[in-house]
Amino acid sequence: MNMMNAIHAPAAVHDVTTQLLREWPLPMPAVEGDKEVRGHVLILGGSREMPGAVILAATAALRAGAGKLTVATGASVAQLVALAMPEARVIGLAETEAGGFLPEAIARLDPLADRVNAMLIGPGMQDEAAAAELVHGLLERMQGSDTAVVLDACAMGTLLHAPPGWAPGEAFRFQQPVIVTPHCGEMAHLTGIEKDEIVSGPDARALASSAQWNAVVALKGARTVIASPEGNMWQHEGGNVGLAISGSGDTLAGIITGLAARGASLEQAACWGVALHARAGERLAERMGTLGYLAREIPDEIPALLESIAGDTPDDTKMS
């Protein structure tokens, strides 16, 4: 039976509540810790048409507590990104005609491979085939390392492009677990299953995909389902329709990556990231109205939310 079409039922689905998060505290740097202790993030993405995506993701990663930031993006927009992100080292990469990155990017990024704690690939990228080649090359280089890898947007298409030497007809599977963050439309593209079917049964699809891909899957929606390859599942309901706006997914991916850079496990980073993103939307809606706030405003809410959820400040969040 094809694993992607099999129905899986977890033993339990855990609600991502304030209590759960407080019982699952994030790693905290020592008082005397420097930026290296807080974690080094590499954001890889952007293109001529979508340079803002890496800016959103990078800002969110820093707001989530990461201490050091490198952004690798297209050479055509690298200076723009550098001006927008004075906190970052920005590396310009040679681009394909379709807006992706040439394979030489792997060698260009190789010196960073042993120095980053978390890597986000995908925001603002174009050219799915080129993105897949890049991801496969980087993952091979990172094999055996402790670097957390988050794949978002175009980079998730790696699942549809097996690397050279992969057995013909065999479904691709990551050798080391990564995080993938699809919404239902992206999950339909990745699995070949109709979107309506995924919307009606997200738990089974997230669980089956997680086992198939060896990935923590955060299947995004009004109710977000998070599944691990071991068969554990969490769910989070919250936020509002205002979060359904361009760039919102980039900020979520950045938050998750920033938490992973601090030392959170893949599952913990996904659960905390989803909750923080949703509650940021709730806070913005309270001040500005449900519709009309911008993705660039989401990261600003994260530092205070980190403290309130952890119980370090009065908890004014709505969820139990």
Side-chain angles (χ1 to χ4, degrees), residues 221-245:
R223 173 178 171 268
T224 293
V225 178
I226 300 150
S228 75
E230 295 77 25
N232 298 313
M233 288 197 71
W234 297 263
Q235 63 181 357
H236 183 276
E237 295 185 75
N240 50 66
V241 71
L243 288 168
I245 190 171

Side-chain angles (χ1 to χ4, degrees), residues 53 56-57 60 120 122-124 150-153 181-183 186 220 243-257 277 295 298:
L56 292 170
L120 169 60
V150 182
L151 301 181
D152 184 49
T181 58
H183 54 60
E186 290 169 326
K220 299 180 293 191
L243 288 168
I245 190 171
S246 293
S248 181
D250 302 319
T251 64
L252 173 58
I255 293 166
I256 292 172
T257 307
H277 184 258
I298 295 171

Side-chain angles (χ1 to χ4, degrees), residues 32-207:
E32 67 275 11
D34 59 16
K35 62 185 178 183
E36 301 288 349
V37 173
R38 288 173 53 180
H40 185 174
V41 168
L42 170 62
I43 309 287
L44 174 56
S47 59
R48 287 185 294 271
E49 295 182 6
M50 294 183 287
V54 290
I55 296 171
L56 292 170
T59 302
L62 291 180
R63 292 295 193 189
K68 193 171 182 179
L69 172 66
T70 299
V71 177
T73 190
S76 64
V77 296
Q79 186 174 14
L80 180 156
V81 173
L83 289 171
M85 292 297 305
E87 301 86 355
R89 173 191 178 189
V90 179
I91 300 171
L93 302 175
E95 299 162 272
T96 68
E97 287 295 325
F101 302 130
L102 294 172
E104 64 190 54
I106 298 170
R108 182 78 187 280
L109 296 173
D110 185 78
L112 283 170
D114 299 319
R115 305 209 308 264
V116 296
N117 302 100
M119 181 186 307
L120 169 60
I121 312 174
M125 290 179 74
Q126 297 178 295
D127 192 345
E128 184 175 276
E133 183 177 0
L134 179 59
V135 171
H136 286 309
L138 288 172
L139 290 180
E140 182 178 0
R141 171 63 178 84
M142 306 299 294
Q143 191 67 30
S145 78
D146 294 327
T147 301
V149 177
V150 182
L151 301 181
D152 184 49
C154 183
M156 292 189 292
T158 297
L159 290 157
L160 302 177
H161 301 267
W166 201 262
E170 183 180 354
F172 176 70
R173 174 181 172 83
F174 296 106
Q175 292 188 48
Q176 290 186 189
V178 303
I179 301 176
V180 295
T181 58
H183 54 60
C184 288
E186 290 169 326
M187 182 66 95
H189 172 63
L190 295 173
T191 62
I193 298 170
E194 291 295 325
K195 179 180 176 180
D196 289 345
E197 185 177 345
I198 295 170
V199 170
S200 65
D203 298 52
R205 297 307 165 195
L207 192 64

Side-chain angles (χ1 to χ4, degrees), residues 267-286:
E267 297 89 345
Q268 184 182 29
C271 289
W272 268 87
V274 166
L276 287 164
H277 184 258
R279 297 182 191 199
E282 291 172 357
R283 285 194 169 188
L284 288 166
E286 288 174 358

